[in-house]
């Protein structure tokens, strides 16, 4: 479709969470670059998130993060 850049913005805590995106990108000829941004503090993440994810869930996500 002529799209040069595709961004998949999600929590993607575990590698398997984004494996399908990587697979699809390679299938369609895209080069994949994984960019990991620094985590804010769990308290800041809880205050900012628009999905009302509880603090305990955010803490668990950060504790189990695969880099």
């Amino acid at each position: 479709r002529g799209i040069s850049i595709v961004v998949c913005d999600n929590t993607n805590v575990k590698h398997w969470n984004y494996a399908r995106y990587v697979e699809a990108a390679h299938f369609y000829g895209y080069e994949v670059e994984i960019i990991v941004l620094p985590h804010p503090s769990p308290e800041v993440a809880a205050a900012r998130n628009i999905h009302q994810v509880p603090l305990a869930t955010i803490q668990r996500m950060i504790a189990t993060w695969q880099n």
Side-chain angles (χ1 to χ4, degrees):
R1 295 182 181 173
I3 300 169
S4 58
I5 295 175
V6 176
V7 177
C8 177
D9 180 16
N10 202 336
T11 55
N12 296 315
V13 174
K14 304 286 186 184
H15 295 161
W16 66 264
N17 294 134
Y18 59 84
R20 285 188 188 178
Y21 301 127
V22 171
E23 206 174 285
H26 286 152
F27 179 82
Y28 288 104
Y30 283 90
E31 179 181 327
V32 175
E33 185 169 347
I34 307 295
I35 300 172
V36 179
L37 301 174
H39 299 122
S41 72
E43 294 77 17
V44 168
R48 287 184 184 170
N49 86 80
I50 63 170
H51 303 290
Q52 300 174 335
V53 178
L55 176 60
T57 301
I58 292 170
Q59 290 169 323
R60 185 174 56 254
M61 292 168 73
I62 291 172
T64 60
W65 187 268
Q66 284 184 323
N67 203 4

